[in-house]
Amino acid sequence: MQKIILLIVGLTISVESVLSQAPTSPRQHANTRFEQLGPMLPTPNTFRTASGAPGKDYFQNRADYDIKATLDDAKQRITGSETVTYHNNSTDALPFIWLQLDQNLFRPESIGKATQTNSIDAHQGATFRQVDPNATIANKNYGHKITSVRDQAGKALKYTINQTMMRIDLPQAVAPGKSVTFSIDWNFNIVDVKSVGARSGYEFFPKDGNYIYEIAQWFPRLCAYNDVAGWQNKQFLGQGEFTLIFGNYKVALTVPNDHIVGATGELQNPAQVLTPIQQKRWNEAKGRGDKPGENPIVIVTQAEAEAAEKAKPTGTKTWVYKADNVRDFSFASSRKFIWDALQPNVEGKRVWAMSLYPKEANPLWGQYSTRLVAHTLRSYSRRTVAYPYPVAYSVHGPVGGMEYPMISFNGARPEPDGTYSESTKNFLILVVIHEVGHNFFPMIVNSDERQWSWMDEGLNSFMEGLACLEWDADFPAHGIDPQYIVPYMQLDSSKQVPIMSSSDNILPGTFGPNAYSKPATALNILRETVMGRELFDYAFKEYARRWAFKSPEPADFFRTLEDASGVDLDWFWKGWFYGVQPVDQALVKVDWFQANSQNPELTKTEARTAAQRRLNTISRQRDALSKDQTVVAQDSTMRDFYNRYDPYAVTDEDRKKYQDYVSSLSAEEKLLTEAGTNFYTLSLKNKGGIPMPVIVRMEFEDGTDSIARFPAEIWRFNDQSIQKIIATNKRVKQWTLDPFYEIADTNPEDNSFPPVARPSRFQLFKQQQRGGATGPNPMQQQKQQAPARQGTGRN
C-alpha cells in the first residue's frame, strides 16, 4: 500500500492513502442509542402485528344512538333522551358497560377541579378562577343529571356514577358478537365557556341579548373497550381529551324556530326548517367551489341574521341529522348565525364546506372560513385518505378551537370596527385548518386522546403546517419549523416530560409544545431531513390507510412508518418521543490537509518559503542591521560545510526517488496527487444527546457553496464525538453545521468554523425594541389616515 503525504499548515505528516484506508477515529464511546426499541414497545400479537397493521383478530366495539334533545334558550339548558344499541365485537362477555358523563367535570366536587393546583403572585395578583377553581361554577348546578336508565323493555337498570364515568350493570352479560339496547334520560345546564374555560357551552352577547351555543360532550357516551386497556374509563380531568368508539347517529334537535343549526352529519329535513329562499340558495351552492376565486353562496345573510337578533321566536323547530360511522356528535345553534357554503370536489366526491358565524366575525369569516374548509379537505385527503363524510362545518363562537366529526368550533374575531391584525388573520387560517383537519386525526384515524394527546394533536399539527404552506407559501408555519421548538427543548429536564406521556400528566404550561409542536416538528424533520419526502409521504399515508376507522396505539404508528419506508427509526423515536434531551451539535474544529505531490522541485521550494517565513521574527528583523557584526560574519575560520549547505537544494538523489515514486502510483493515485485536492477533518461533538444527521455547508473562496449530508448513524460508534474527512477541489473559507435550521439545534453559536461573531442577546433585545410600542393594527391606522372612507367593509 502506497503512502501519500498530506500537509497541514506548516506540518508534514504521513498517513495511509485516503483512497483505501478509513480515517483514524477518536476513541469509541459505546452506547445504545441505535439499538432497537425492543421491550419499550408492546409485544406484537394477533390484534396488532409487528408491521404496525391491525391483526387478524383486531376488533372494536361500536354504539348506535337515537337521540332527541331540546335546547332551552331561556334557561341555557338541554334536556334529552337517548336509545343506545351497544355491539360487543370482542371475545369477552361484558357484565357491565361504562359511559362518559363529561359535564360532571364542572361540578365543584369533581376530581378535575379538586386536583387543580394554584398560587397567588404577590406582585401580579390572581384571578378569581386561579384562586378558587370553583368560583365560576358555584351555585350553577352544572353537570349531568341522569333521570332514567332503562332496558329495551322499559325496566330500570342499576347504574353507578363515579365522577365523570357511569357504570350500567346488566342483568345478563353481553356475549361476544351480541348487542344490548338501553335508554337514558338526562339533562344539564349549559356552561358559560369564557367564565368556566370549557370546550363547549354558550356565549352571551349583551348588545343584542342573544346567545351562541356550541354544544359538545353533551350526552352520555360509551367508553371504549379494546385489546389494550379493556375499558378505557379514565376520568375526564379537563386536559386529556376523549376516547370514543364509532357508531351511527340519528339526532333530533328541537330549538327556537328562529335558530340556525349546524351539526355532525347530514340534515334530513331541510324543507321543514329552511325557508324557500334559503333552500334555493342551498341548491345554488351545490357543485360550487372548484374554481379559484369561486366564493361561497350565503344561505343566511348578515341582514337576515341581524333581523333575527332583534325579533323573538314564535315557537320551536326540530332539526334532524343523521351521521354514519362517526365517533361523536356535536352541534351549534343560534339566531345570530350567518351561513355560507360551497360544495367542492374532494378526491372525486362532492363535499359540503360550510361556515356559521355571527356578524361580529365579519368581514374576516365571510372571506376566509369556508374557503379554508374546502382547502383543508383537499390537502388532507391527498396526504391521508379521501374525506369520507358528506359535510364539514367551521363555526365561530366562544370556543377558540375544538374539533368534532364534521364540525369544528373556531375563534379569531375581528375588532368591533371590522378591522383585524395580521396575527388574527393568521390565527383564523391556522385554527380552521387545524380543527377541520382533526376530522382525519382523530375522527377517522381514531387514536386514544385521553392517553396520547400527541397522536392526534401532533400528527394534525404537522398536517396543518403543510396545509398552511399550501394555502400561502409565506405563511408563518412555526408549528413545524424546527427552529421554533428550540426554546422548549432548551428547558431543564425537570420542566418537561417526554412526548410519550399520558395526556393528563403533561406539565402545566407545556401542553402546546409537548403535544402539538414537538411531535409535529419531529415529523417534519423525518420528512425533510431523515427519510426524505417520498419515503415519508408514502409511509404516513399507509398509516392513515391502515388505521382509518380503527384505533391505533403509538407502537402501530412507529412500526408502520418503518415497515412502509424501510428506514430504521428506533433511534429517532427514542430521542424525540421517549426522551427530553435536546439536540446540540458543535463543530469544534476543522483541520486542513492537502496531498503533497512529493516533486522535490515543488516541495523544497515550499519548504524554503515556510522556513524563511518562520525565521522572520521581530528579533531577527531588529538584529538585521547588526548582522555584519557577528563573529561568523567577521571571522571566516568559524565557517564550515553547514554554513554553505542548502538543505532546500534539489539533488539528483531527490529526483530519482521522485521518479521511482511516480512510477509506482496507480492512475487514480496519480490523479489525486496532481489534483490539488483539499482534505478537511471535521471534529464534531454531540453536546445535546439526541443523535441527528450531520448537515454541513461549505462556503468556498470563489463565492460558491456546497452541502454535505451524513445520516444520524454516523454517531452509532460514538454518540459524543466524531471526526469526518471531507475532500473538496476548492478551498473552504467557512464551515456551518445545520445551515438551514433542520434539526432543532439548541445552540447554533458553536455551529461555525471559523467561529462567526453574532450580536449579543442584549444587542438583539435593543434591536427588537426599535419598533416602538404597540398601537392600532395596520387596518385601523389606514382608516385613521383616510377618515372619508365609509363603512367597515363587512359583507
Side-chain angles (χ1 to χ4, degrees), residues 342-537:
L342 292 170
Q343 196 189 36
N345 184 314
V346 179
E347 298 291 306
K349 172 187 172 184
R350 291 289 172 186
V351 178
W352 284 109
M354 300 184 177
S355 295
L356 300 173
Y357 49 94
K359 65 179 185 298
E360 287 81 0
N362 262 335
L364 193 59
W365 271 68
Q367 182 175 0
Y368 289 108
S369 179
T370 295
R371 293 283 295 274
L372 285 163
V373 174
H375 169 73
T376 305
L377 298 179
R378 291 193 186 103
S379 177
Y380 278 61
S381 292
R382 285 195 305 270
R383 299 184 184 279
T384 59
V385 296
Y387 186 69
Y389 297 127
V391 63
Y393 280 96
S394 170
V395 182
H396 181 70
V399 179
M402 270 304 297
E403 70 278 3
Y404 306 97
M406 306 186 225
I407 189 169
S408 61
F409 305 152
N410 304 308
R413 186 173 296 175
E415 300 296 331
D417 64 359
T419 65
Y420 50 85
S421 66
E422 186 178 23
S423 63
T424 298
K425 172 191 170 181
N426 286 343
F427 179 65
L428 175 68
I429 294 169
L430 182 148
V431 75
V432 172
I433 289 176
H434 183 91
E435 304 304 343
V436 173
H438 268 305
N439 276 290
F440 296 82
F441 305 98
M443 305 305 159
I444 296 170
V445 180
N446 183 31
S447 58
D448 181 349
E449 296 180 276
R450 186 66 50 86
Q451 181 63 29
W452 307 113
S453 286
W454 71 267
M455 286 195 73
D456 74 296
E457 298 296 357
L459 271 61
N460 185 47
S461 294
F462 163 69
M463 290 291 294
E464 161 217 307
L466 299 183
C468 284
L469 292 173
E470 290 174 342
W471 175 266
D472 182 352
D474 295 323
F475 189 86
H478 297 167
I480 62 171
D481 189 333
Q483 60 186 310
Y484 291 97
I485 197 61
V486 164
Y488 175 64
M489 297 183 73
Q490 287 174 328
L491 292 177
D492 184 85
S493 60
S494 65
K495 296 181 180 179
Q496 53 176 315
V497 295
I499 292 173
M500 285 291 292
S501 297
S502 179
S503 303
D504 286 315
N505 296 333
I506 298 172
L507 297 179
T510 68
F511 193 81
N514 180 283
Y516 293 68
S517 304
K518 187 178 179 183
T521 299
L523 295 182
N524 199 40
I525 290 173
L526 284 180
R527 184 173 189 259
E528 299 289 2
T529 304
V530 176
M531 300 169 70
R533 291 188 175 189
E534 182 179 0
L535 285 175
F536 179 89
D537 289 351

Side-chain angles (χ1 to χ4, degrees), residues 490-636:
Q490 287 174 328
L491 292 177
D492 184 85
S493 60
S494 65
K495 296 181 180 179
Q496 53 176 315
V497 295
I499 292 173
M500 285 291 292
S501 297
S502 179
S503 303
D504 286 315
N505 296 333
I506 298 172
L507 297 179
T510 68
F511 193 81
N514 180 283
Y516 293 68
S517 304
K518 187 178 179 183
T521 299
L523 295 182
N524 199 40
I525 290 173
L526 284 180
R527 184 173 189 259
E528 299 289 2
T529 304
V530 176
M531 300 169 70
R533 291 188 175 189
E534 182 179 0
L535 285 175
F536 179 89
D537 289 351
Y538 180 89
F540 192 82
K541 190 164 188 172
E542 176 64 10
Y543 167 72
R545 186 196 66 79
R546 286 179 178 182
W547 290 97
F549 299 105
K550 297 182 178 68
S551 299
E553 291 289 314
D556 302 318
F557 177 71
F558 298 152
R559 286 169 167 156
T560 292
L561 258 64
E562 296 189 25
D563 179 61
S565 69
V567 181
D568 181 2
L569 298 171
D570 282 23
W571 62 271
F572 189 86
W573 309 133
K574 280 184 183 180
W576 279 85
F577 286 75
Y578 286 87
V580 296
Q581 287 184 313
V583 175
D584 183 8
Q585 294 179 358
L587 182 54
V588 179
K589 66 173 182 174
V590 178
D591 292 324
W592 173 32
F593 300 83
Q594 281 185 317
N596 186 340
S597 69
Q598 300 192 41
N599 183 344
E601 304 290 350
L602 299 176
T603 59
K604 287 203 168 183
T605 298
E606 291 172 352
R608 183 193 303 276
T609 301
Q612 291 174 344
R613 185 170 57 249
R614 289 194 297 273
L615 288 172
N616 189 31
T617 65
I618 188 64
S619 295
R620 287 180 180 273
Q621 292 176 41
R622 291 170 176 170
D623 291 342
L625 295 177
S626 57
K627 186 176 180 180
D628 294 339
Q629 306 301 316
T630 64
V631 172
V632 170
Q634 294 181 358
D635 187 351
S636 61

